[in-house]
Amino acid sequence: MYRPPELDTEEFKTEARRALLNLLEGVRGEKNIVLEKSLTGPIGLVVKFSTLQEYGVQKVFLLENGNIDSSQKNVIFIVRGEELTNIQSIAGQIKKLQRNGQVDHEFSIFWVPRRTLVSNKILETEAVLGDVNLAELPIYFLPLEKDILSLELEDSFADLHLHKDPTCLFLAAQALMSMQQRHGLFPRITGKGDHARQIADLLLRMRAEWAVTEESTMGGPSATRSTPSTSIESLILIDRGVDYLTPLLTQLTYEGLIDELWGIQQTQIDVDSSIVGAAPASQAAQGSSSVASASRPAQSLKRKVQLDSTDKLYGQIRDTNFATVGPQLNKIARRLESDYESRHGAKSTAELREFVNRLPGYQAEQQSLKIHTGLAEEILKFTKSDLFTSTLKVQQHLAAGADAAGQHESIEELIAREAPLPIVLRLLCIESCVSGGLRTRELETFKRSILQAYGFQHLLTLDVLEKLQLLQSRASSGALMIPVAMSGSADGTKTNYTYLRKTLSLIVDDVDEQNPSDISYVYSGYAPLSVRLVQCVLQKKQLLSLTRGGTGGGANAVSSAAQGWRGFDDAVSYARGKTFDEIQKGEDKAIRARTMLNGHGDKKTVVVFFVGGITYTEIAALRYIARQEEATGRRRLLICTTSMISGNRMMDVAIAQNSLGL
């Protein structure tokens, strides 16, 4: 009888790797790969370049560079099937090779994660469809960590909130459906936000289609695969549009500040070697074997630093508030020095041999300490600058509900000093989100100042921010849709931070960053609304205790995640978007069979999925919750997302890059 496996993020990596290598094996002989630039990181997470070489891959090129080597017979393009410009680029490069090459080429296209009708139509229109072999490479979730799965759809925020393109919602639903097919149905789907509701609806429809398929192919639904999972407790869907404020704020955890300064891409950053030192020879050789390194020229002044749990030191400090990182690094340095000096106390051969056996571990930890000391020193310079302190002060005042007009002088001063534009825009967007827009006259003044200081091309920037509903006038139609007095059944079109700040205790005055007792430590006093919503489902008692029964106390309001939003229905209605709580059931006979097969009392997994992106600081807050839940033996958390996001990435979507030449 089928027994569903335990939920392990590595299974997604193994499956994606197997699918890629099987497709490569099907193309006989030596071959070159042409990668879409946005896929270099994801493919690098799945397989190393050295492994690709074992399957006949000679070189890796970037599609955007248009510099394919024409001497190789087999050319394989690996691209996303939804990127129309890239599909046209493929057609153009195939024609170029056919026209100029001296070799009779064989072309293959691996669509990630699926083939689309539009891609077929474009290739047909360009008259190259008959010249290529087509295959699908179904890579959906990629494990960034043991507790993090990401679709790595970098444009998901822009697609959903600017271009109104729902493609990533379908891909997210497909990825979650594949999880259901392995482990059983999500017993409960709870969520907040319009995009989250769309994914839930897609999941319910896909389940119905799956049941019909099983009925026609197997003569009936699978007794174990079409029933609620015994290893997964629930799925919680949170739409990024519910909480714009959190990613706009400067992240204050160690990992969050690394992302703010260098931008983490697929658990790696490129840092100046003067900060962290040159890479050891062995690491340099290993780095050159990665797919990303093989597809770009070497940069001698940069060093690639891996940031994941394979670095034990990083695992200890990544989720801590940066204010505590210095003392922790100092403590670790003293311990390492003490351990290393212990060699002088070795009196016997056995003790000396034991020290020698531990020496590689000491050296690896010493190298890690050197890297993170260098990064921490650079971050400290940044956090001690006048720009950072004045920016953080304005952010914290706005988030706490202080008079917004009192912060305008500081913002105007930043514009006058020509501070980086993303910093200025983030502050204005924070005020707009928290206050329901800016006064029309004040907004026009800020717009005029920005255009004069940074260039008139930013007319486009300001227009995009308005379309994203990040920067609005209080008189605009969008800003007027903030819920004020709503019943639990209504759904707001804007989030009312003023109400939720008190109701969900978003601002906590006494924060112990060294020994935190609440998720608010990640922003030094501000608790991310998105993660508070997760607590509304998972940690009702703790949250009610923190808010002093502000949303209604009593035993009936306090229960497990199986009761969805109960106890916080009214508070949740003041956040943007639809609120839902769906229960998935199977046949009683099948449920009893699965229960007998899998037993009772095992620790279950709650899947928390952020639609439109999640910040590293929100991940730190969710891990804090996970540690509390695991300590009580109740459940473990698996964090999923369409992509990683930050305030800088949000501003990159809006900021016009080209000058108007005025």
Side-chain angles (χ1 to χ4, degrees):
M1 185 179 287
Y2 171 79
R3 181 185 178 92
E6 293 298 321
L7 191 55
D8 181 9
T9 56
E10 281 300 307
E11 70 186 48
F12 297 93
K13 179 179 178 179
T14 302
E15 186 173 315
R17 183 176 184 272
R18 186 187 303 118
L20 174 58
L21 296 182
N22 285 343
L23 288 176
L24 290 176
E25 197 170 22
V27 180
R28 297 183 179 276
E30 296 182 347
K31 61 211 71 151
N32 286 341
I33 289 180
V34 184
L35 267 178
E36 177 184 321
K37 186 177 181 181
S38 65
L39 284 175
T40 55
I43 295 296
L45 287 172
V46 172
V47 64
K48 292 183 178 180
F49 181 64
S50 56
T51 305
L52 295 179
Q53 288 177 313
E54 296 173 8
Y55 283 76
V57 176
Q58 300 301 302
K59 296 179 181 178
V60 177
F61 299 92
L62 290 180
L63 177 67
E64 289 80 356
N65 292 345
N67 60 344
I68 307 173
D69 182 3
S70 61
S71 63
Q72 199 62 252
K73 178 181 179 180
N74 292 308
V75 179
I76 300 173
F77 296 89
I78 303 180
V79 296
R80 297 192 186 276
E82 293 83 9
E83 296 292 337
L84 304 187
T85 55
N86 287 342
I87 299 170
Q88 292 170 332
S89 177
I90 289 173
Q93 293 189 38
I94 288 175
K95 289 179 180 179
K96 181 180 177 181
L97 288 174
Q98 289 174 331
R99 185 170 57 250
N100 301 331
Q102 303 298 318
V103 179
D104 185 16
H105 295 284
E106 290 188 11
F107 301 102
S108 300
I109 302 178
F110 299 165
W111 301 114
V112 180
R114 63 186 182 125
R115 179 177 177 176
T116 63
L117 291 174
V118 174
S119 63
N120 280 5
K121 188 65 178 177
I122 292 176
L123 294 178
E124 184 180 358
T125 302
E126 297 289 338
V128 296
L129 183 59
D131 300 327
V132 296
N133 300 310
L134 302 177
E136 291 184 342
L137 180 55
I139 297 178
Y140 290 98
F141 279 133
L142 291 166
L144 300 183
E145 275 292 356
K146 293 180 180 179
D147 60 344
I148 303 175
L149 290 173
S150 173
L151 295 173
E152 288 302 279
L153 300 173
E154 295 179 354
D155 298 327
S156 61
F157 175 78
D159 288 342
L160 289 174
H161 299 281
L162 179 61
H163 308 307
K164 311 302 179 185
D165 179 358
T167 301
C168 67
L169 299 181
F170 180 75
L171 297 179
Q174 280 194 316
L176 291 169
M177 189 62 203
S178 69
M179 192 181 291
Q180 287 194 119
Q181 289 170 338
R182 288 190 189 95
H183 303 279
L185 302 176
F186 301 119
R188 200 174 199 110
I189 303 176
T190 306
K192 180 64 182 177
D194 295 338
H195 295 135
R197 174 75 259 189
Q198 287 177 263
I199 290 180
D201 290 340
L202 284 169
L203 280 173
L204 296 174
R205 192 187 77 186
M206 287 177 179
R207 179 203 171 179
E209 293 172 351
W210 181 36
V212 172
T213 301
E214 284 197 327
E215 183 77 34
S216 60
T217 58
M218 301 174 59
S222 169
T224 49
R225 297 189 185 212
S226 59
T227 56
S229 173
T230 56
S231 60
I232 299 177
E233 181 181 294
S234 63
L235 168 66
I236 301 174
L237 295 164
I238 302 294
D239 184 359
R240 180 75 276 162
V242 173
D243 180 21
Y244 279 149
L245 171 61
T246 295
L248 288 169
L249 295 171
T250 300
Q251 302 178 76
L252 295 181
T253 60
Y254 179 56
E255 188 170 40
L257 278 167
I258 289 176
D259 187 48
E260 293 279 352
L261 265 67
W262 292 285
I264 302 174
Q265 296 290 337
Q266 287 85 41
T267 71
Q268 294 182 331
I269 56 171
D270 287 321
V271 188
D272 196 307
S273 57
S274 64
I275 296 174
V276 294
S282 59
Q283 185 177 333
Q286 184 179 358
S288 65
S289 67
S290 70
V291 173
S293 297
S295 61
R296 66 168 181 265
Q299 295 177 317
S300 58
L301 297 179
K302 294 285 185 179
R303 175 181 173 183
K304 189 168 289 294
V305 176
Q306 188 73 27
L307 299 173
D308 57 29
S309 56
T310 57
D311 181 346
K312 293 182 180 179
L313 172 56
Y314 184 64
Q316 295 175 34
I317 62 176
R318 65 191 303 173
D319 297 325
T320 60
N321 189 292
F322 182 71
T324 69
V325 169
Q328 288 187 63
L329 290 176
N330 188 34
K331 182 178 179 181
I332 292 168
R334 291 200 306 270
R335 176 181 60 78
L336 281 176
E337 183 179 4
S338 174
D339 290 346
Y340 194 70
E341 290 299 322
S342 67
R343 72 187 190 279
H344 298 303
K347 298 179 180 179
S348 66
T349 306
E351 290 176 341
L352 193 58
R353 186 185 302 114
E354 183 183 355
F355 173 80
V356 171
N357 291 336
R358 294 200 305 263
L359 191 57
Y362 290 149
Q363 292 172 334
E365 201 168 359
Q366 189 70 41
Q367 180 63 26
S368 174
L369 179 64
K370 179 181 178 182
I371 289 172
H372 292 294
T373 300
L375 292 175
E377 287 175 350
E378 198 67 19
I379 293 173
L380 190 61
K381 293 178 186 176
F382 170 67
T383 56
K384 284 190 172 182
S385 66
D386 292 339
L387 176 63
F388 178 85
T389 52
S390 59
T391 301
L392 185 62
K393 183 179 179 181
V394 174
Q395 287 184 1
Q396 292 181 331
H397 283 164
L398 291 173
D403 180 29
Q407 312 307 315
H408 288 176
E409 183 178 347
S410 298
I411 299 175
E412 289 167 355
E413 182 181 347
L414 289 172
I415 297 174
R417 290 163 52 189
E418 294 189 4
L421 181 59
I423 291 177
V424 173
L425 294 178
R426 284 171 71 169
L427 291 176
L428 292 174
C429 291
I430 288 170
E431 179 181 343
S432 179
C433 289
V434 171
S435 306
L438 280 73
R439 292 188 179 90
T440 302
R441 185 181 62 183
E442 293 171 344
L443 179 59
E444 292 304 316
T445 300
F446 278 123
K447 284 182 176 180
R448 193 179 306 112
S449 299
I450 287 171
L451 295 178
Q452 291 172 349
Y454 300 98
F456 287 91
Q457 72 270 22
H458 293 295
L459 275 169
L460 303 175
T461 301
L462 297 169
D463 181 61
V464 171
L465 289 174
E466 186 173 349
K467 289 179 179 177
L468 288 168
Q469 297 185 18
L470 288 174
L471 184 59
Q472 294 181 304
S473 164
R474 290 184 187 175
S476 67
S477 57
L480 293 174
M481 296 186 208
I482 294 182
V484 178
M486 304 174 60
S487 65
S489 60
D491 298 305
T493 54
K494 295 284 284 184
T495 295
N496 189 334
Y497 285 99
T498 302
Y499 177 83
L500 293 172
R501 186 184 299 118
K502 179 179 180 181
T503 310
L504 295 182
S505 195
L506 299 184
I507 300 297
V508 179
D509 294 329
D510 299 321
V511 179
D512 186 348
E513 294 161 342
Q514 187 73 43
N515 299 296
S517 58
D518 180 62
I519 62 170
S520 56
Y521 84 93
V522 297
Y523 281 105
S524 295
Y526 166 76
L529 171 61
S530 54
V531 185
R532 276 282 193 253
L533 292 175
V534 175
Q535 286 185 300
C536 288
V537 179
L538 298 182
Q539 295 188 322
K540 297 178 186 293
K541 282 187 178 181
Q542 293 93 320
L543 191 53
L544 284 170
S545 173
L546 186 65
T547 57
R548 299 175 184 176
T551 57
N556 292 333
V558 180
S559 59
S560 67
Q563 292 183 315
W565 298 110
R566 188 177 301 176
F568 293 92
D569 310 72
D570 182 61
V572 171
S573 70
Y574 283 80
R576 174 183 179 178
K578 297 177 180 177
T579 308
F580 58 92
D581 185 25
E582 300 281 351
I583 299 174
Q584 295 198 98
K585 295 181 178 179
E587 296 182 7
D588 293 339
K589 185 177 180 181
I591 293 174
R592 286 196 299 271
R594 169 169 281 199
T595 303
M596 291 176 61
L597 182 66
N598 292 280
H600 300 271
D602 292 337
K603 188 184 296 183
K604 294 186 178 182
T605 299
V606 174
V607 180
V608 181
F609 191 104
F610 274 61
V611 186
I614 187 173
T615 66
Y616 287 98
T617 302
E618 286 170 311
I619 288 175
L622 287 171
R623 283 179 173 149
Y624 177 83
I625 295 174
R627 287 192 295 272
Q628 290 184 321
E629 293 297 299
E630 290 189 24
T632 59
R634 286 197 292 261
R635 55 177 74 90
R636 62 183 288 263
L637 261 62
L638 176 62
I639 304 165
C640 301
T641 182
T642 52
S643 62
M644 302 307 301
I645 199 171
S646 65
N648 288 336
R649 291 185 180 96
M650 292 172 73
M651 294 303 104
D652 287 343
V653 170
I655 293 177
Q657 301 300 326
N658 299 322
S659 171
L660 296 179
L662 298 177

